């Protein structure tokens, strides 16, 4: 009986240790998240900001939504077109960032460490201090892209 009890305890202990190791190995360290956010910002600057694609995208959204709000299908098509215009290097790090499922607050807290990477862009601010580019992609379908674009614009997390 004691041998059976000892055997059961050992097996249970091994299962618990094995499961806890799996959880630890799937978690991404803060250092890895910081590196990925930094690389995403750098690649976005190279792919969208310096080429003018970002300003064209924001301007296009502003113009189309000036008369009436964009419907979700139209907005999604514009976002997909924008992403399709980006470099493979940016898309690689962006989709790695997406897999992390970071919150907007977590993204901002990490991205704010890299304030020196933010390139000044011209944005149109209204009388309330809101920019055309703040929450330009809205709808919550692309929270990582929304957070990146809002951070690039200098918008506050919502």
């Amino acid at each position: 009986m004691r041998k059976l009890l000892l055997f059961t305890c050992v097996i249970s202990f091994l299962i618990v240790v094995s499961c806890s190791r799996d959880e630890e190995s799937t978690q991404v360290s803060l250092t890895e998240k910081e590196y990925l956010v930094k690389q995403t910002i750098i690649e976005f600057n190279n792919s969208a900001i310096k080429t003018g694609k970002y300003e064209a995208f924001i301007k296009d959204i502003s113009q189309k939504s000036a008369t009436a709000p964009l419907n979700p299908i139209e907005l999604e098509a514009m976002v997909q077109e924008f992403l399709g215009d980006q470099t493979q290097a940016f898309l690689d790090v962006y989709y790695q960032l997406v897999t992390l499922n970071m919150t907007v607050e977590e993204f901002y807290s990490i991205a704010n460490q890299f304030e020196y990477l933010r390139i000044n862009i011209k944005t149109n601010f209204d009388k309330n201090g809101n920019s055309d580019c703040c929450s330009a992609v809205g709808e919550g379908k692309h929270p990582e892209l929304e957070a990146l674009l809002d951070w690039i614009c200098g918008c506050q997390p919502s």
Side-chain angles (χ1 to χ4, degrees):
M1 183 73 161
R2 287 184 177 175
K3 287 183 181 181
L4 182 59
L5 182 60
L6 179 63
F7 178 73
T8 306
C9 288
V10 168
I11 295 297
S12 299
F13 176 74
L14 290 174
I15 290 172
V16 168
V17 168
S18 170
C19 290
S20 65
R21 282 189 188 152
D22 289 344
E23 288 176 16
E24 290 172 6
S25 66
T26 59
Q27 290 180 351
V28 179
S29 74
L30 180 59
T31 306
E32 292 169 321
K33 287 180 181 181
E34 288 172 347
Y35 175 77
L36 193 55
V37 168
K38 180 179 179 181
Q39 285 306 114
T40 302
I41 294 168
I42 289 169
E43 292 302 332
F44 185 79
N45 286 341
N46 293 333
S47 179
I49 303 281
K50 291 179 180 175
T51 61
K53 293 175 185 175
Y54 173 70
E55 285 189 59
F57 173 66
I58 296 302
K59 184 178 177 182
D60 195 26
I61 287 179
S62 267
Q63 288 175 345
K64 290 185 179 181
S65 63
T67 55
L70 292 171
N71 68 47
I73 295 168
E74 192 176 24
L75 184 59
E76 180 64 20
M78 291 174 75
V79 168
Q80 291 304 320
E81 183 181 339
F82 174 72
L83 287 173
D85 287 343
Q86 303 313 309
T87 63
Q88 191 60 47
F90 167 71
L91 293 175
D92 289 345
V93 292
Y94 170 71
Y95 287 119
Q96 287 177 26
L97 186 71
V98 168
T99 61
L100 294 180
N101 292 323
M102 290 179 14
T103 64
V104 172
E105 293 79 17
E106 185 178 15
F107 176 84
Y108 264 78
S109 70
I110 294 171
N112 285 336
Q113 298 173 32
F114 307 110
E115 184 72 32
Y116 63 93
L117 293 174
R118 190 183 315 216
I119 295 176
N120 283 337
I121 55 170
K122 287 197 269 181
T123 56
N124 297 324
F125 286 93
D126 66 17
K127 60 185 173 196
N128 297 324
N130 297 321
S131 171
D132 290 353
C133 62
C134 291
S135 299
V137 296
E139 303 300 316
K141 289 186 177 183
H142 303 277
E144 295 82 7
L145 185 60
E146 288 176 41
L148 176 62
L149 296 181
D150 285 353
W151 183 82
I152 292 290
C153 269
C155 309
Q156 296 300 315
S158 50

